[in-house]
Amino acid sequence: MTGIAAAPAIIELAGVEKTYRSAGGRRGGRGVGFRALSGVDLAIAAGEMVAITGPSGSGKTTIINLIAGIDRPTAGTVTVNGSRLDQMTEEQLAVWRGHTIGIVFQFFQLMPALTAAENATLPLDLARLGPSRERKAVASRHLATVGLGGRGERLPLELSGGEQQRVAIARAMACGPPILLGDEPTGNLDTRLARDMFELLKDLNENGTTVVYVTHDQALAGLASRIVSVRDGLITGDTVRRP
Amino acid sequence: MSTLTRKAWGDLTRHRARTLLAVCTLSIAIASLGFLAVPALLNAAMNRQIAGSHLYDVGISTSTLDLSPAQLRALGRLPGVGAVSPAVGYATTVTSAAGPQDVELAGTALASAPVNTVALFTGRMPGPGEVLADAGNARATGFAVPNGGTIDVRAASGRLVRLRVSGTGMNLYATPGANGSATPVFYAPTATVQALRGAGYNYLGFRLTDDTAAAQSRVVAEVRAYLTAQTGADPITALPAVRAPGQWPGQSGFNHIMALLYIITILAFASALFLISATMNTLIAEQAGEIAILKTLGGRRRQIAGITVRTAAVLGAAAAVVGSILGIAIAYLLAGYFAVKLIDVSFGFAVSIPVVVASLVLGPALAVVASLPALRRALRRPVAETLAGAGTSGYGSGWLDRLVARSGLLAGAGVPGSVRMGVRNALRQKRRSAATVAQVAVAAGLAIAFLALGQSVTAVISQTIGKLHFSISAGVASTRGARPFGAQALAVAAATPGVTGAEPVETSSVQHNGQTYTAWGLGTHPFYGYRLSAGRWFTAADTAADARPAVPPVVLGPAVARTTGARVGQILTLTLAAGPTRVRVTGIDTGQTNAGDTVYFPLPVLERLDGGPGTANSVWLTTASTAHAAIDRAATAAASRLAAAGYPVSTTEIYVAEAQITAADTVILTIVDILGLVVVAIMLMGLVSALSMGVIERTREVGILRCLGARARQIRRVFSAEAVVLAAVGWAFGVLLGWLMYQGLLALFLHNADVTLPEDFPPAIPLITLAGVVVLTLIVIRGPLRRATRIQPGTALRYQ
């Protein structure tokens, strides 16, 4: 198994393969298969900050999706926070994700009809964590943490790209998940904003959250404590940076 | 295949669910064009029936004539006569498993009669001791005897003769359905009926070489002269029936039914157009992003439009094929049902080629035309704006969004977040939401309009029945030697146990401009509950026994008034047995008795015009009890007493006639219910399509919610809230639309179908429709949502 994890692994991928099939080719049949991962072993300890890098189509996003339970592996097992994801139903995965995983997408994916505060409260509403007033207070704290304390009533339409991404981070942290995943979380931001965003992620990591993010930017990857390189569906490198 | 064509094809195959939904919706819309075939198919079936009936041009009722074959041949050789068929009609009573019943037996040469041919529908032609039941007996009179069953017929001698029913058939001249009669009809060989009644004929039917009115009059005169010379006296007993070219019995009722069908089929067609337009607009609007990308790649408007048009044309063609097949089936089933249930016409499988061709051509054409407005909008929209807006925004910038946000209606702690999100989502895609609201409004409006129409028809039934304030009608039997009622007959009837009142009535017929109407001779205070829309009823002076007005007064039924265009005070010339007579219109009734086709005379006036005083041929009797058994007993007793006094009669219990009137008006209700249901179902398909497509297009959003930890039921709540809001708003518009359509239908029924319906719009109808719309909405989106929540979030996120 690739990866240096002295502490207990909070994320484990063992022999994971993933092949995507399109729905039928031009002449019918089972369609074209695209092998995204060809046998990946990866262990990430609790509290690590890991950057997954690689060229386009290397399988980086697939790894993130498998960790989040958004996709299912074609072969192998995925264990996150002690739960075998391949043994859970979609409904169970959805509930599990609400408590365990926070996801930040490249294109923010905020609910356009909800304000910033409501977006940040949404995971708490879905998980029904605490009374309603308390959920709003928690969301407000998270918005303040990401520097948007006074802009909770704005709609996504009224926020800049950087502000939207901050709301996305606040939303991802709403339920206090032990793991935060980012799929090119700074891919849609300029360099300055990207660095600011990364600082936020680092703060979260220093507070105990395991952060795993995908980036094609080598400079941003270098800011993580561990870099996992992926190419053609295989892990080609796993480097721990000494502090 | 060029890249552009491949893209058009790919657009269809990539989104199979969406394509299938669009084809289904368009197919149903095109299938509804099959409604237009229903009147045409029924018309064709009726024309075949008319041609096969060899209907009379002149029909003459006579006293019983023992005509020899030579005399019949001579009648056939009279100037202007093409063919002649003698017949014998016998009014009697029968008993069967269904109970006692007044019936008419028609003795003719049946299928070989050159005039008034009897066509066989089921079974076989009757032999000796057998009869053919008229195919309209069950529907028009409620008296049905199955093939192989028997009836015990009362012969003129008084003995009962058993006859077996060998099948069903019909001649348009005699069938009760077309003539509005409540008396069942049976056909038999002439010898069979003569054996029951006595030798001789009492009816002659003629087909002429020239069917003009003048030729008809000449033939009547020739026949009268010949028969008078042969028998020594004028044997003609009633006004000769003349049939204007192109007219046939029951035509008025049939035309009314056709008018109703045309009204509703036009509504179905309009609904279909709306459905096609809404579906294609939604489909093309979803392509806005791809259209913008094609523009960035250098695509010219014509090239981009070509892709969209090809896609629309393929969808339309596929839908046209499926829809045409469905339409053929719908038209056949509907026409066959109406043919049997409403107009007693023999109906086999038939296809209206023009409608099928129109469906195949209109399918692709309408799909292309319907997509053009959305295509034009997409082509004009700036690229940057389109690409920036793809998948996000739409909420927050408009005045409506700010109104909703500021209202604080949804900001309360009591409103679940999923509901709040669902409601606001309704405002995100404003055009799509508006289309869904419109679909709901049209569907709800149609449902409301048809429910209200049904309510009005039900009201008509009660109004028609409520006008007859007597229990029994005793009519002069059409047997040899029967004499009209006079004072003695009235006294005998009034003295019958159980009878509380007796009114002499004459029922006859009059003609005006080639149309025949029922004539009733009544008193000043008749047992008929008239309600006039104009003018006055008859005064005591009008109905005095010695009244001899130079221009007699008449009251017209509503249909007569409409057809003749007559007003109160106007002078009309009506033709009766005595010949042309000028009458003055003193009033116009509103009653629907005899479908409003009645001309009311003062009784003494009609008696005089029909041949002298004392020609009343009916007595209306009121009874002490309204119980059916008591009425039956009184009717039997009255008939016996009158027969003993020399007045053989046949009786009709009004509660039986009321059931038949109800059945007649139920025809309209049936058309409204069945066609209305199908039209509403078509529009609901549009609603299904709009809601389903809305969920499919938001598959990625469902994936995001799943990523955030949303359970399936929480996602369902978001989309359900949005759908219910749209449904409720649509319903609100639908109430107004439905009321307007209802008013329009009432006006169309009056002007095109000659049917007056009262306005009746209870608040329960919109409320029932609201409940139906909400329930259906929640049911409809369940399927697509279940599908969306079952997709893996990763797959959902990649959905485009």
Side-chain angles (χ1 to χ4, degrees), chain A residues 131-147:
Chain A
S132 175
R133 203 174 302 135
E134 220 176 278
R135 293 179 211 162
K136 286 183 182 173
V138 167
S140 295
R141 280 200 298 276
H142 283 124
L143 279 177
T145 302
V146 299

Side-chain angles (χ1 to χ4, degrees), chain B residues 90-117:
Chain B
Y90 177 43
T92 182
T93 57
V94 304
T95 54
S96 71
Q101 174 69 49
D102 292 332
V103 300
E104 286 272 349
L105 288 182
T108 82
L110 299 175
S112 59
V115 185
N116 294 340
T117 310

